[in-house]
Structure formats: structure tokens, C-alpha cells
Amino acid sequence: MNAFFKRQLADYVEYHRDPWNCTMHVFGIIALFFAAILPLNLVPIQVLGVHTTLASIMVLPVLVYWLTLDAAIGAAILGAAAVLLSAAAFVVSHANTTVLWSVTTILIVVGIGFQVIGHRVFERRQPALVDNPSHLLLGPMFVMTKLFIALGFRRDLAAIIQTVQPQIQRGSSSFAEEHQVEPLSRS
């Protein structure tokens, strides 16, 4: 699956070249994941004598998928998901239903807003998932891959992210040009 992941990552990178868009995606993806699991924590489930919630059950298939794409990055996402699931359980245990659904709605609006602004303003193109719906599942892998690379790990994936050429050649985003910000080096 690692070769498959590398091909998918190369395709996904085409839509995520601008560093501001990537930053927007970090916050947007976390907000959307949290919004998805928050209300699912309201539904308790008992499986083989273990008490859990619908949130834990629903995230299992995608966590297994991410682990099969790349074990190290999938394991890091599993750790992040465990933290977010714990945080969601805490919120559910301390908030009433109205507050919970209000927070969920706000997180969805903010998460989608970050994605749309990132693509429209900084990339000036449609989101990757419009052309390839499977990219919805690649967002967290991309964000975690960028973190691994920033920490000096996964040079094999850094080579993919840095060598894929964007379809429209440009040195910076319009935001960087307008605010006289130096674009990050793509070498």
C-alpha cells in the first residue's frame, strides 16, 4: 500500500502547494474531524463487554485504512485521533445537548470555511476532493506527513512533496504577493 499512498500523495500535493493553504488545512481538518466525532460520542455502545461510543466504532475503518497506507503516519494519526476522541468524550460529559450541537455546527462551518478559503484565496483552484473524492481521506495523511517532514522524518515522502510540480507555475500566492511575504522555498 505504500506505493499506492505515494501516488495518492503526489496527486494530492498538486492541489496543496501554497503554505497558507496547508496551514488552513491543518486547522480545518482537525475542526471537521472533531465535529464528526463529537455528536457520535452521545451514543454509547457495548461491544464484547467493553463500553465505548459510536464515535470510536465509526473511526476504526478509516484508522485501519490510514495504518495500511503508511504504518508510521497512520500510527501518528491514531495517536492524534485518541486525543481527539478523549477530548470529545470530555466535552460530551460536561455539556448539554444544545451546547454540543452548537459547537458541532460551529466546527463544521469553521472547518469547511478554512478549506474553501485555503483553496479559493491561496491556491486559486478547486479543492482536490472535487476531482477525486478519495482525497477526503488523504487530508489527515497529508497534514501528518507535513508534520513528519517538518520534524526531519520521512525524506522519502519529502521528496514526493517537493518534486511534484504544480500545474500552474507560480512562485507565491496572491496573498504573499499582496503582503510582500516571501514564499516558502519549494526546493
Side-chain angles (χ1 to χ4, degrees):
M1 284 295 266
N2 199 285
F4 173 75
F5 171 55
K6 288 179 179 180
R7 286 191 309 273
Q8 292 290 355
L9 184 62
D11 185 48
Y12 191 87
V13 168
E14 286 288 332
Y15 294 82
H16 302 88
R17 297 310 244 153
D18 188 276
W20 289 101
N21 183 34
C22 293
T23 301
M24 301 290 282
H25 273 60
V26 170
F27 296 106
I29 287 169
I30 292 169
L32 289 170
F33 184 84
F34 199 68
I37 63 172
L38 199 54
L40 294 175
N41 267 286
L42 289 170
V43 182
I45 294 181
Q46 187 168 348
V47 178
L48 302 171
V50 175
H51 297 282
T52 188
T53 66
L54 186 57
S56 299
I57 301 299
M58 296 294 288
V59 300
L60 277 178
V62 73
L63 290 172
V64 169
Y65 174 70
W66 288 329
L67 282 165
T68 59
L69 284 179
D70 187 280
I73 294 179
I77 292 174
L78 176 64
V83 169
L84 290 172
L85 285 164
S86 296
F90 178 81
V91 170
V92 165
S93 68
H94 289 85
N96 65 39
T97 306
T98 304
V99 170
L100 182 84
W101 282 104
S102 297
V103 169
T104 299
T105 303
I106 291 167
L107 287 171
I108 291 170
V109 170
V110 167
I112 291 172
F114 275 136
Q115 306 300 316
V116 170
I117 291 169
H119 281 285
R120 297 274 185 217
V121 174
F122 301 115
E123 290 289 344
R124 293 187 172 203
R125 68 183 301 180
Q126 64 188 8
L129 93 104
V130 173
D131 292 332
N132 187 347
S134 71
H135 282 193
L136 178 66
L137 297 177
L138 283 173
M141 292 292 286
F142 175 73
V143 168
M144 193 59 72
T145 298
K146 296 283 277 186
L147 176 62
F148 268 54
I149 292 167
L151 294 173
F153 304 117
R154 299 307 301 264
R155 292 183 184 169
D156 60 324
L157 299 178
I160 292 169
I161 288 177
Q162 295 169 350
T163 59
V164 174
Q165 295 300 312
Q167 290 176 349
I168 301 170
Q169 192 69 295
R170 62 190 189 281
S172 62
S173 70
S174 60
F175 178 85
E177 292 166 358
E178 290 172 18
H179 294 90
Q180 297 178 353
V181 176
E182 285 294 319
L184 293 178
S185 171
R186 298 193 197 270
S187 57

